[in-house]
């Protein structure tokens, strides 16, 4: 019954020079197909945890394993390669490149991974169609609404078929209707088997999309509750 772990944090701490540990001996296993919401007050360590999982930051102690790779032990180049192959990321403010078209933004991860342009273009077209924004393929992101931009960011995150999708406040900059669209999208991806970890202040997102809600407080796991996503 138990599927393979996609994420394994073991005794993970992250300390900065000043102040208490941003993350304090956290252990957490996320299995394939789970959709986990990370919630907790501002400053509790949610983004810190996501960045450690993505290899964007290194723990002060403990080990981070993602899809069999010891992320905490990678070099900078190795960590960039790891992210291209294994991680899709979606952020609050989309992080799209404004001087590339929507299609080129979506294709970028494939090009960086060395995928041929034809294959990348086909996959980008499929993703944009699946997300209902293919008509904007040749537009520049600046012309799109927030909800549409977030769909482009999701398409880009899925370009290389990552085993893990990480999202940090994906509805944080959206009006409620666009936020609902993004939640529905996360739900569809989960239904398709995508493993997802979403950091959010939005408890309705946790309730609507997650099969498990992990609450962080003061750098520690304060609660870890299994739920059933409402479909
Ligand atoms: N580069 C840094 N240097 C020093 N302290 C930092 C640094 N980055 C984060 N912190 C501290 O670590 C703690 C956790 O920050 P983190 O960004 O993970 O919180 P968060 O839960 O994501 O908050 P929010 O909900 O506001 O995004 C905070 O106290 C923060 O001030
Ligand atoms: Mg944060």
């Amino acid at each position: 019954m138990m599927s393979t772990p996609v994420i394994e944090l073991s005794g993970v701490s992250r300390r900065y020079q000043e102040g208490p540990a941003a993350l304090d001996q956290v252990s957490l296993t996320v299995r394939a197909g789970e959709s986990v919401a990370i919630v907790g007050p501002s400053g509790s360590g949610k983004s810190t945890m996501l960045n450690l999982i993505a290899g964007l930051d290194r723990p002060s102690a403990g080990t981070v394993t993602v899809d069999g790779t010891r992320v905490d032990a990678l070099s900078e180049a190795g960590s960039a390669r790891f992210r291209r192959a294994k991680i899709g990321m979606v952020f609050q403010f989309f992080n799209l490149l404004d001087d590339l078209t929507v299609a080129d933004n979506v294709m970028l991860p494939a090009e960086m991974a060395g995928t041929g342009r034809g294959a990348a273009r086909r996959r980008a077209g499929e993703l944009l169609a699946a997300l209902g924004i293919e008509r904007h393929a040749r537009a520049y992101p600046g012309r799109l609404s927030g909800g549409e931009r977030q769909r482009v960011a999701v398409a880009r995150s899925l370009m290389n078929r990552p085993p893990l999708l990480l999202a940090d406040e994906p509805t944080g900059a959206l009006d409620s209707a666009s936020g609902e669209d993004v939640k529905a999208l996360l739900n569809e991806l989960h239904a398709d088997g995508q493993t997802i970890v979403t950091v959010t202040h939005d408890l309705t997102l946790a309730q609507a999309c997650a099969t498990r809600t992990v609450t962080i407080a003061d750098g520690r796991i304060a609660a870890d509750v299994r739920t059933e996503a409402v479909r």
Side-chain angles (χ1 to χ4, degrees), residues 156-211:
R156 177 185 57 184
S157 77
L158 297 172
M159 187 70 203
N160 292 343
R161 298 184 168 84
L164 178 59
L165 178 62
L166 301 177
D168 197 347
E169 296 286 359
T171 61
L174 302 179
D175 62 43
S176 60
S178 300
E180 289 306 319
D181 286 351
V182 169
K183 288 177 205 175
L185 183 54
L186 291 174
N187 249 334
E188 282 166 31
L189 294 171
H190 170 60
D192 284 346
Q194 179 72 51
T195 309
I196 307 173
V197 175
T198 309
V199 165
T200 184
H201 278 108
D202 178 355
L203 290 178
T204 68
L205 188 157
Q207 281 159 2
C209 304
T211 52

Side-chain angles (χ1 to χ4, degrees), residues 66-124:
V66 174
D67 201 40
T69 300
R70 271 284 300 277
V71 178
D72 56 287
L74 293 172
S75 66
E76 213 164 291
S79 138
R81 220 176 305 124
F82 154 82
R83 268 191 301 286
R84 280 202 294 276
K86 308 269 185 172
I87 307 274
M89 288 195 90
V90 177
F91 303 92
Q92 179 173 2
F93 295 109
F94 327 124
N95 291 13
L96 299 171
L97 297 176
D98 286 332
D99 52 357
L100 293 184
T101 64
V102 162
D104 285 335
N105 266 282
V106 174
M107 286 164 64
L108 203 56
E111 298 201 338
M112 289 170 69
T115 309
R117 207 166 156 81
R121 189 166 285 289
R122 270 195 302 282
R123 170 129 179 100

Side-chain angles (χ1 to χ4, degrees), residues 6-14 23 26-28 48-74 82 87 164 166:
V6 174
I7 303 173
E8 270 192 300
L9 303 183
S10 177
V12 171
S13 298
R14 177 66 167 102
L23 217 56
V26 165
S27 294
L28 177 74
T48 301
M49 187 159 115
L50 214 66
N51 290 338
L52 290 168
I53 294 169
L56 290 164
D57 188 18
R58 279 167 176 262
S60 315
T63 62
V64 178
T65 309
V66 174
D67 201 40
T69 300
R70 271 284 300 277
V71 178
D72 56 287
L74 293 172
F82 154 82
I87 307 274
L164 178 59
L166 301 177

